Amino acid sequence: MDYAKMRAIAEELGAYAERLEGAWSVEIGPSGPILAMMCPSKRHEGTLHRIREQLNRQVPTTHPGYVCATGPEIEHPGIGRMRLPDAVVIPLEALDEEGVAVDAAQVLAVVEIVSPSNPNNDYVEKLADYPAMGIDRYLIVDPRTGTIEVHSGPCKGRYTEKESYIFGDSVAFGPWTVGTSAFRRYGRAGN
């Protein structure tokens, strides 16, 4: 199926999701459009907030006019993918444009906080999609294990570099640094 058809289906799913209770996301992955209910835990949101706050203090210095934001989907029609990262470093002006998706060419970096229910989405599918989209940096934070991975150097649909950290480390994420001492692991029940 071509990307225009998948995008039309994704838009229909998005309109349908707006009428449903709860928070829903629509993405286009390797098998086509996906509608998924989002149930981020408080620890997921707390970790994401801490990362976004730290990056938003540093990004204006290294990349004037850019912000670390949550919410916009990113898409790359050439490879037929649309993803909704937990956070994305993009030009602030992109948030004022029409539509729901930001062109992947505008994205400097993405951040994902691993969900207890679907870790393969971040470690397998998005780890393949983001470098294929040409996104320079990908930060994966896993509160299940207390680990962090920084992927960089996209080349031929994969990242060529990977740095590993644990909660408590100071994480080098491109030109930025993310302190992780306040990050919390998920409890036994995943929250």
Side-chain angles (χ1 to χ4, degrees), residues 166-186:
I166 60 171
F167 283 17
D169 288 345
S170 183
V171 175
F173 186 39
W176 316 298
T177 302
V178 177
T180 67
S181 61
F183 290 8
R184 298 292 173 256
R185 293 182 62 176
Y186 294 139

Side-chain angles (χ1 to χ4, degrees), residues 11-168:
E11 286 179 19
E12 288 178 26
L13 287 172
Y16 174 73
E18 288 178 9
R19 298 188 306 269
L20 299 173
E21 288 186 31
W24 294 83
S25 73
V26 177
E27 297 182 323
I28 299 173
S31 58
I34 304 159
L35 175 64
M37 184 172 199
M38 300 181 340
C39 303
S41 70
K42 292 184 287 183
R43 289 200 177 158
H44 176 282
E45 293 303 300
T47 300
L48 182 58
H49 173 77
R50 287 175 177 92
I51 292 169
R52 196 176 60 244
E53 291 290 311
Q54 291 180 58
L55 291 178
N56 276 326
R57 284 193 295 270
Q58 299 170 62
V59 167
T61 303
T62 61
H63 296 83
Y66 280 73
V67 296
C68 181
T70 55
E73 293 171 332
I74 56 174
E75 72 178 332
H76 191 297
I79 64 166
R81 296 291 187 273
M82 183 173 72
R83 290 297 191 172
L84 179 63
D86 287 321
V88 58
V89 179
I90 56 173
L92 177 59
E93 66 187 24
L95 296 174
D96 293 328
E97 298 170 353
E98 288 291 327
V100 297
V102 173
D103 185 329
Q106 295 179 290
V107 178
L108 295 181
V110 292
V111 176
E112 295 287 0
I113 314 298
V114 176
S115 121
S117 61
N118 190 10
N120 281 346
N121 191 37
D122 299 319
Y123 281 116
V124 178
E125 293 177 19
K126 291 183 179 182
L127 188 55
D129 287 347
Y130 291 149
M133 292 172 137
I135 297 169
D136 285 338
R137 289 173 176 68
Y138 177 24
L139 177 71
I140 304 174
V141 178
D142 194 339
R144 298 169 317 135
T145 59
T147 58
I148 300 136
E149 294 181 1
V150 175
H151 296 269
S152 60
C155 181
K156 298 181 181 177
R158 67 180 190 84
Y159 287 113
T160 59
E161 299 173 36
K162 173 185 161 187
E163 297 292 326
S164 299
Y165 301 88
I166 60 171
F167 283 17

